[in-house]
């Protein structure tokens, strides 16, 4: 079954980039596409740091990505680049892991000063994995989030609109490539 894989490259569970991924997952599921989420911080640190390509921990995520039609990559931006955690995981993947897939990059940062991180940092990384159908992406800054009554991350309206537009674009690209919508959502 074709699906969209969501990759969380944040070292923190409560990261704003994870809130964006959750919103995207809901939107994709509402459009009838199944999703599967890969949370990089859950992998054994030793396997990531030492690039243990043959680690059993990476078998399932490699298979998910190989069978995916679309990929959403989310990362916080540190010093104008994606997270090191995300990079260590992507280094484990085969060089053509994103070939033939529609890829949506998502990034969060502290200020608008890193707005171009998607274009100058994330997209070249995706291209190194043979991604050819890379969507524009969404970059959000800290000021576009708030904290809810229960301590949860609340996404600002402008970012919600941009995420929803990106989800629509992702779905349109998948449909144009003949990818059938599914009904079941995996986690």
């Amino acid at each position: 079954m074709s699906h969209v894989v969501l990759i969380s490259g944040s070292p923190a569970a409560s990261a704003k980039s994870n809130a964006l991924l959750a919103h995207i997952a809901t939107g994709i599921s509402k459009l009838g596409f199944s999703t599967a989420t890969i949370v990089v911080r859950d992998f054994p640190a030793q396997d990531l740091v030492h690039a243990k390509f043959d680690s059993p921990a990476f078998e399932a995520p490699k298979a998910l990505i190989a069978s995916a039609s679309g990929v959403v990559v989310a990362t916080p931006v540190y010093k104008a680049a994606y997270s090191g955690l995300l990079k260590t995981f992507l280094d484990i993947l085969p060089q053509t892991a994103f070939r033939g897939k529609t890829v949506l990059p998502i990034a969060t940062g502290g200020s608008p000063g890193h707005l171009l991180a998607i274009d100058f940092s994330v997209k070249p990384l995706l291209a190194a994995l043979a991604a050819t159908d890379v969507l524009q992406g969404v970059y959000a800054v800290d000021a576009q989030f708030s904290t809810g009554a229960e301590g949860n991350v609340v996404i600002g309206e402008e970012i919600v609109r941009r995420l929803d537009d990106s989800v629509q674009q992702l779905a349109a690209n998948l449909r144009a490539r003949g990818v059938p919508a599914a009904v079941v959502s995996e986690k």
Side-chain angles (χ1 to χ4, degrees):
M1 170 189 321
S2 40
H3 55 273
V4 176
V5 172
L6 308 159
I7 302 173
S8 169
S10 177
S14 61
K16 293 170 181 76
S17 57
N18 291 336
L20 300 180
L21 265 187
H23 185 85
I24 289 169
T26 299
I28 290 171
S29 294
K30 285 181 181 177
L31 294 175
F33 293 93
S34 65
T35 64
T37 301
I38 296 171
V39 181
V40 179
R41 75 178 168 282
D42 290 345
F43 293 117
Q46 292 287 38
D47 290 355
L48 287 167
V49 173
H50 294 289
K52 293 186 178 176
F53 298 96
D54 58 350
S55 169
F58 301 128
E59 289 176 14
K62 284 179 181 178
L64 278 174
I65 292 168
S67 65
S69 300
V71 178
V72 180
V73 177
T75 181
V77 172
Y78 302 114
K79 299 192 186 338
Y82 42 79
S83 73
L85 182 65
L86 177 64
K87 179 69 165 82
T88 59
F89 174 70
L90 295 180
D91 284 346
I92 298 293
L93 299 179
Q95 190 168 354
T96 59
F98 292 163
R99 179 178 289 153
K101 299 168 190 344
T102 298
V103 183
L104 173 62
I106 302 294
T108 58
S111 74
H114 299 296
L115 175 65
L116 296 176
I118 289 178
D119 290 331
F120 293 112
S121 177
V122 178
K123 285 184 178 181
L125 176 63
L126 300 175
L129 292 167
T132 52
D133 186 16
V134 181
L135 302 179
Q136 181 177 352
V138 176
Y139 177 78
V141 297
D142 288 349
Q144 295 171 309
F145 297 89
S146 60
T147 304
E150 299 174 9
N152 56 314
V153 175
V154 177
I155 306 168
E157 289 181 29
E158 176 192 352
I159 295 302
V160 166
R161 281 192 300 274
R162 290 178 53 215
L163 290 172
D164 291 346
D165 288 348
S166 293
V167 165
Q168 291 294 330
Q169 186 180 12
L170 175 60
N173 281 32
L174 293 174
R175 288 184 187 116
R177 290 184 21 240
V179 177
V183 182
V184 181
S185 177
E186 304 170 26
K187 191 92 174 181

